Amino acid sequence: MKNRKTMKAAVIDRYGPPEIQSIRRVAVPEPSAGEVRLEVHVATVGRTDTATLRGHPFFARLMTGLLKPKMQTLGMDFAGVVDAVGDGVSSFKVGDRVFGISPENFGAHAEYLCIPADGAIAHIPDILPFDQAVVGEGAWYASGTTDMLSKGDRCLIYGASGAIGTAAVQLAKARGAFVVAVVGTRHLELAKNLGADHIVNYETEDFTKIGERFDLVFDAVGKTSWRACRPLLNKDGVFSATDLGPGWSNIVLSTWFGITGSRRVRIPFPENAPGFIRHLAELMARGEYRGVFDRYYALEDIVDAFRYVETEQKTGIVVILPD
Ligand SMILES: NC(=O)c1ccc[n+]([C@@H]2O[C@H](COP(=O)([O-])OP(=O)(O)OC[C@H]3O[C@@H](n4cnc5c(N)ncnc54)[C@H](OP(=O)(O)O)[C@@H]3O)[C@@H](O)[C@H]2O)c1
């Protein structure tokens, strides 16, 4: 039986490397009006967590806290069971199985989490266990790019084996696009299973010389550039990236193309997280979307989980089990 006054949480007091996190007992949060509290069964460590822990890039501290992080506990993805509801909540009740993301306050690296009932939270489809429902973060970031696609568009996804890349392949297919996935040797089978129409092995072939043109090229791992990918784009084709690019080139170019109005280079930040999580629940219920999971860590081993994610070698999602 759990002690309901205090809970285990991975706590941070400053920016720094994974080792600065410690597992402590802190007060269980009480849901305010309009919030639900859930018992977290599964969480993840993603690149947002690792970047936020280090306070990198520095300008991101405008949102997360200039000198020290505003949030005491990281963790954006969650899946669990509602165990209390605040005043005025009618969309969820105690016992509901829910999943979602907490992009502003984080907090899922703990045994309990409070989140607005009208936030990015939805019921887990009945067919899914908890550990297959922590899929929100990478998918939400990917959606900022895949939402540009229409049926029949041609897109190339570079780095289709990470959390964002594996999501992007599936979301692009769900929108009816033709998808070429670029991955390394160990992920060829994965890309095929995710539904990519054609797969290029970046270790044995120069993907920029495949002789095809695309409406959209998406650098989903921050390992290529507009300059390298430009020959792949058709006349109005868009290069979209998850990262700043070499020498912050993606920031410079997206600003420049924004001024000229062509918007050919973009670093899209996804919007409407609540709507997206509900859409994701529908896709998962229809079997049109699934998470790709790598290693599982206990909350006590969170430092190791962060270290692994920082290798930039994970396949899809790294899972944390708080209890
Ligand atoms: N700043 C933030 O808050 C933030 C938040 C989220 C994401 N992001 C950015 O979004 C990007 C993707 O994040 P993610 O979590 O999806 O990444 P991830 O899961 O860490 O990506 C790792 C995958 O990339 C593959 N990879 C490594 N080097 C590659 C290369 N040269 N070419 C192609 N694939 C390569 C790896 O497999 P192989 O090595 O076997 O190919 C591995 O499967 C990153 O650039 C990250 O910085 C930033």
Side-chain angles (χ1 to χ4, degrees), residues 1-321:
M1 184 87 167
K2 283 185 179 170
N3 174 348
R4 296 287 173 135
K5 293 208 171 82
T6 66
M7 65 173 183
K8 269 187 307 179
V11 177
I12 54 171
D13 303 314
R14 60 185 172 93
Y15 291 116
E19 302 73 52
I20 65 163
Q21 298 176 96
S22 58
I23 305 295
R24 294 185 211 159
R25 291 213 74 86
V26 298
V28 172
E30 286 302 322
S32 306
E35 285 188 336
V36 301
R37 182 176 70 199
L38 61 126
E39 189 178 347
V40 181
H41 284 224
V42 191
T44 70
V45 176
R47 297 280 291 270
T48 312
D49 295 309
T50 55
T52 305
L53 180 63
R54 288 194 182 264
H56 178 81
F58 196 86
F59 67 75
R61 296 186 186 197
L62 292 173
M63 288 174 287
T64 60
L66 204 53
L67 299 178
K68 61 178 201 161
K70 284 189 230 168
M71 62 290 281
Q72 196 186 27
T73 294
L74 296 172
M76 193 160 144
D77 266 307
F78 61 82
V81 175
V82 173
D83 100 311
V85 295
D87 290 343
V89 174
S90 57
S91 44
F92 298 98
K93 59 183 189 317
V94 171
D96 283 358
R97 288 168 8 107
V98 293
F99 80 106
I101 53 175
S102 174
E104 276 149 32
N105 299 322
F106 297 73
H109 295 160
E111 288 178 294
Y112 294 91
L113 168 72
C114 287
I115 180 152
D118 61 0
I121 178 171
H123 290 97
I124 299 175
D126 290 342
I127 53 168
L128 281 189
F130 290 110
D131 62 353
Q132 288 179 31
V134 277
V135 295
E137 182 197 354
W140 185 50
Y141 285 130
S143 73
T145 292
T146 55
D147 281 357
M148 296 177 212
L149 291 165
S150 303
K151 194 169 167 42
D153 280 351
R154 293 172 55 79
C155 79
L156 179 141
I157 297 167
Y158 184 80
S161 57
I164 297 178
T166 52
V169 172
Q170 298 179 79
L171 295 174
K173 286 307 300 172
R175 292 183 75 83
F178 178 87
V179 176
V180 173
V182 183
V183 291
T185 309
R186 70 185 175 117
H187 292 122
L188 294 173
E189 193 65 24
L190 170 68
K192 189 174 153 201
N193 292 338
L194 291 174
D197 297 287
H198 181 65
I199 298 145
V200 178
N201 182 347
Y202 75 82
E203 292 175 38
T204 58
E205 191 177 355
D206 182 347
F207 77 99
T208 63
K209 300 210 168 83
I210 58 175
E212 292 178 42
R213 300 262 172 173
F214 297 89
D215 302 293
L216 176 72
V217 171
F218 180 26
D219 177 8
V221 281
K223 303 278 187 191
T224 183
S225 65
W226 151 257
R227 197 173 164 172
C229 294
R230 201 173 170 177
L232 292 164
L233 291 168
N234 64 25
K235 191 170 138 291
D236 299 316
V238 169
F239 174 76
S240 174
T242 51
D243 238 307
L244 306 177
W248 288 32
S249 55
N250 291 337
I251 294 271
V252 174
L253 288 163
S254 64
T255 307
W256 169 249
F257 283 116
I259 292 167
T260 64
S262 78
R263 305 206 59 215
R264 294 201 70 193
V265 176
R266 302 188 200 179
I267 310 180
F269 195 79
E271 293 169 357
N272 188 12
F276 177 73
I277 291 298
R278 287 193 290 274
H279 172 61
L280 201 55
E282 286 165 14
L283 289 179
M284 290 196 292
R286 293 201 298 266
E288 291 174 25
Y289 189 93
R290 69 178 175 90
V292 173
F293 301 100
D294 191 330
R295 298 186 186 174
Y296 290 70
Y297 291 88
L299 184 63
E300 281 77 5
D301 298 324
I302 194 131
V303 171
D304 291 335
F306 270 71
R307 285 190 186 128
Y308 178 53
V309 173
E310 285 194 338
T311 64
E312 304 184 6
Q313 289 299 305
K314 69 182 167 69
T315 301
I317 297 161
V318 167
V319 176
I320 295 292
L321 302 168

